[in-house]
Amino acid sequence: MKPELPGFYYDEEKNRYFPIKGPIPGAKASSSSKTQQKPDPKPEQETNYQKRTKLKALKLVYSRELNGNVVPVNKKMSNFKEEIQKTQASYPVVWRYESTKHTGDAALKQFQVDVQTSVGLTRKNILVAGSSSGCLSILRVSKAKQVFDGGIDCDPVSVLPLNENNAEEREAPWFVWRPAQPYLALSTISSIQLIGRYDDASENSNPVNRALITTLGSTGRGSIFILNVADEMNTLTPRSLQGNVSSECTIWTADCNIRGSHAAIGTDLGAASVDLETGAGSYFLRSKSDVLALQFHQSGNIVQCGLRNGAIVSVDLRERPGRPLPRLTRHQIRYQSSSKTGQTTKNKQWFELQGNINPSHVIYMPSSLTCLKTLKTSDQYLMASSMDGTIRLYDQRLVKRGVAVQTYEGHVNSHTRIEFGIDPTEKFILSGGEDCYTRIWSIKSGQLLSENKCSDSVPSVVCWSTDERKKDQKDSIIYGAWLGSHEAIFNVM
């Protein structure tokens, strides 16, 4: 019996291998060849992926006892801690929370707050969830089940693993859900961002007690709200846009600077900076292509904007000498248009941008941007995803070459705004797909570590939980991410 080769079949009469696809010259039509010519509906995963997922934590621990922290893996030497983390990512444990249907399918954000209670300030973990129907909910997260007046218990239900004997036991965090009744009249929630960011590495850092909420607007009138979670009332205050920022716009996305003084919003007219205290704003980027994703640079001086036409531009917010804002510089940007079949044509078109940008540093994705994030450990690395299912990692020092330093294969998308998440250690990337599968990749190698279907609807939003450096802190939730879909909210550990 001849060994099987992927993509080929063996013909005993010809005594040779033939490719499965395409015509076979001189071959006779036989029942065996016809059945063998049918390709598999799903391509096989790479051998390295299969080897990786079959690694057992026990074997790694045994190898460490013999070799120290550097252990042999697939005939190569690797770090023990990294291999353990990859093994856990290859076998994720997924929990689905009851009573969370249509709760967090638009936006999710977890953070720690000091809540004023009858016994004084109490530090809590909360998850703010926004839905496409405009419902804003506050979910209190804890390690054990707690009683909360006026709340609805969201019991965790195990979804993965299917075989409990193949995974280690991990406790699921608990939800107590309090629907935010006064906020049900909002339009589709487009983003939830923390106002001000604490230092994750500092144990004495102050928690964040406010969040920025933005909505798309049912009639093209997007809105901005400030959510205060420092008290039990969880007050939501609208913030009217002032200055030259049009109120007749759709707000697709938003981000806040580290100090929490200003926010950047992406609209169908461009990107604008908004003072969170006064509401005064001004455009720093004008474009006829919608700004679907943006993020502040850690310095707070640059905002990276992802456009509907696939371009990623970095806008410098600092004023140039002798050229005060809000006067914007006009630029003609050249890009390659895509045909209906998804193939890039050779005809190059031009579009106009207004802002303090460097046209030679523009990055081009194949389709409309869906998510944009920089790595905190090295802010020169930018990760972006587009609606055609492409996920790439760029080194912004090499953008003139136009080549990504890493790509992540297997993501499925065609028209949905799907957000990906990066874990606090910045070793893994997690994202849902239009096929309802959830996938985890290694950021460094680009290797697909796991893909599992845990929901019957698209997991469109991702929010990673507390930094692992706080794992010794009481009531901290670590090593997990929150997934939001129409079906429910999930926790992946």
Side-chain angles (χ1 to χ4, degrees):
M1 185 66 182
K2 293 291 184 178
E4 295 184 0
L5 297 178
F8 293 84
Y9 76 96
Y10 180 75
D11 192 325
E12 296 181 355
E13 296 180 0
K14 298 289 184 179
N15 193 25
R16 58 178 292 190
Y17 289 94
F18 290 96
I20 292 178
K21 295 183 179 180
I24 304 174
K28 297 181 179 180
S30 60
S31 58
S32 60
S33 62
K34 289 182 179 179
T35 56
Q36 293 178 353
Q37 288 181 7
K38 295 182 180 180
D40 295 333
K42 187 176 182 180
E44 295 182 358
Q45 293 172 325
E46 54 180 312
T47 307
N48 192 28
Y49 168 81
Q50 295 175 346
K51 289 182 179 179
R52 178 75 67 187
T53 55
K54 291 181 180 179
L55 288 175
K56 300 295 183 180
L58 184 60
K59 294 180 64 176
L60 290 173
V61 173
Y62 176 73
S63 181
R64 185 186 64 169
E65 296 297 330
L66 297 177
N67 303 286
N69 288 327
V70 180
V71 295
V73 178
N74 293 338
K75 299 181 181 181
K76 296 181 180 180
M77 303 306 293
S78 182
N79 182 270
F80 168 78
K81 183 178 179 180
E82 292 181 357
E83 292 303 321
I84 284 291
Q85 291 175 338
K86 288 182 180 179
T87 303
Q88 291 179 340
S90 301
Y91 295 96
V93 176
V94 182
W95 301 85
R96 183 182 70 249
Y97 290 85
E98 301 296 329
S99 305
T100 59
K101 186 177 182 180
H102 302 300
T103 300
D105 58 329
L108 289 174
K109 185 66 66 175
Q110 181 192 336
F111 53 102
Q112 290 185 335
V113 296
D114 281 343
V115 180
Q116 184 66 45
T117 62
S118 58
V119 297
L121 288 177
T122 305
R123 182 159 295 187
K124 299 291 184 180
N125 288 291
I126 67 170
L127 183 69
V128 182
S131 70
S132 56
S133 61
C135 177
L136 187 65
S137 305
I138 310 297
L139 300 102
R140 189 162 295 179
V141 187
S142 62
K143 285 185 176 180
K145 189 172 182 179
Q146 295 180 352
V147 179
F148 179 41
D149 294 337
I152 301 173
D153 290 335
C154 303
D155 297 332
V157 177
S158 178
V159 177
L160 287 176
L162 300 178
N163 185 359
E164 295 291 345
N165 295 327
N166 290 339
E168 57 183 295
E169 294 184 359
R170 307 179 198 174
E171 296 182 359
W174 284 85
F175 270 172
V176 178
W177 173 37
R178 182 170 67 181
Q181 297 293 344
Y183 317 145
L184 295 177
L186 299 179
S187 62
T188 300
I189 295 175
S190 56
S191 69
I192 301 174
Q193 298 294 333
L194 306 183
I195 299 179
R197 300 173 186 174
Y198 53 84
D199 183 8
D200 291 333
S202 176
E203 296 181 356
N204 300 322
S205 59
N206 296 324
V208 178
N209 294 328
R210 295 192 304 164
L212 175 69
I213 314 294
T214 61
T215 64
L216 292 178
S218 57
T219 59
R221 295 178 61 93
S223 303
I224 296 178
F225 299 87
I226 305 297
L227 175 65
N228 189 349
V229 292
D231 52 49
E232 293 288 341
M233 298 302 296
N234 298 325
T235 57
L236 187 70
T237 306
R239 184 71 71 224
S240 300
L241 294 176
Q242 307 293 333
N244 68 345
V245 179
S246 174
S247 59
E248 300 289 338
C249 64
T250 300
I251 301 179
W252 292 106
T253 183
D255 192 21
C256 298
N257 60 4
I258 296 178
R259 297 186 301 272
S261 59
H262 288 76
I265 59 174
T267 72
D268 55 342
L269 302 177
S273 176
V274 179
D275 190 314
L276 294 177
E277 296 300 327
T278 63
S282 61
Y283 286 102
F284 58 83
L285 177 68
R286 295 302 298 262
S287 171
K288 294 182 179 180
S289 183
D290 298 26
V291 179
L292 301 181
L294 58 76
Q295 186 180 43
F296 264 102
H297 189 270
Q298 293 185 29
S299 64
N301 298 324
I302 297 175
V303 177
Q304 289 150 332
C305 303
L307 308 183
R308 184 182 291 276
N309 59 20
I312 303 175
V313 297
S314 297
V315 186
D316 195 337
L317 302 183
R318 292 169 293 188
E319 297 183 8
R320 292 183 179 180
R323 187 178 295 173
L325 293 176
R327 187 174 180 177
L328 304 178
T329 306
R330 295 177 180 268
H331 300 275
Q332 292 288 336
I333 305 297
R334 186 172 61 182
Y335 75 104
Q336 293 181 344
S337 60
S338 299
S339 62
K340 294 183 180 180
T341 59
Q343 297 180 352
T344 302
T345 63
K346 295 183 179 180
N347 297 327
K348 294 184 178 180
Q349 301 181 3
W350 298 82
F351 69 97
E352 183 179 288
L353 289 177
Q354 299 180 36
N356 187 10
I357 65 175
N358 187 344
S360 63
H361 290 176
V362 177
I363 302 173
Y364 301 96
M365 292 287 285
S367 182
S368 301
L369 269 293
T370 59
C371 191
L372 195 65
K373 294 183 180 181
T374 56
L375 301 185
K376 294 181 180 179
T377 54
S378 179
D379 54 14
Q380 296 294 338
Y381 288 95
L382 174 68
M383 188 170 293
S385 63
S386 57
M387 286 190 183
D388 66 337
T390 301
I391 302 179
R392 294 175 179 173
L393 179 66
Y394 290 94
D395 187 340
Q396 299 182 78
R397 297 164 294 188
L398 306 174
V399 293
K400 290 185 178 181
R401 301 181 181 179
V403 179
V405 297
Q406 191 59 268
T407 57
Y408 305 90
E409 303 293 339
H411 183 48
V412 179
N413 193 11
S414 61
H415 63 277
T416 308
R417 294 184 64 217
I418 299 178
E419 179 185 8
F420 62 79
I422 300 176
D423 80 306
T425 64
E426 297 188 338
K427 289 183 173 61
F428 307 105
I429 174 178
L430 182 147
S431 178
E434 281 189 348
D435 56 354
C436 302
Y437 275 76
T438 300
R439 295 174 175 85
I440 302 177
W441 294 268
S442 169
I443 292 181
K444 183 178 180 180
S445 66
Q447 180 186 2
L448 178 63
L449 298 177
S450 68
E451 54 178 344
N452 299 281
K453 185 176 182 180
C454 56
S455 173
D456 293 329
S457 58
V458 179
S460 55
V461 292
V462 180
C463 169
W464 222 279
S465 60
T466 307
D467 196 319
E468 70 162 0
R469 286 171 288 186
K470 289 182 174 289
K471 62 183 179 181
D472 296 329
Q473 184 173 320
K474 184 180 180 181
D475 200 33
S476 63
I477 309 298
I478 60 170
Y479 300 122
W482 305 106
L483 284 174
S485 69
H486 288 288
E487 179 183 343
I489 294 178
F490 299 83
N491 180 262
V492 182
M493 302 182 69

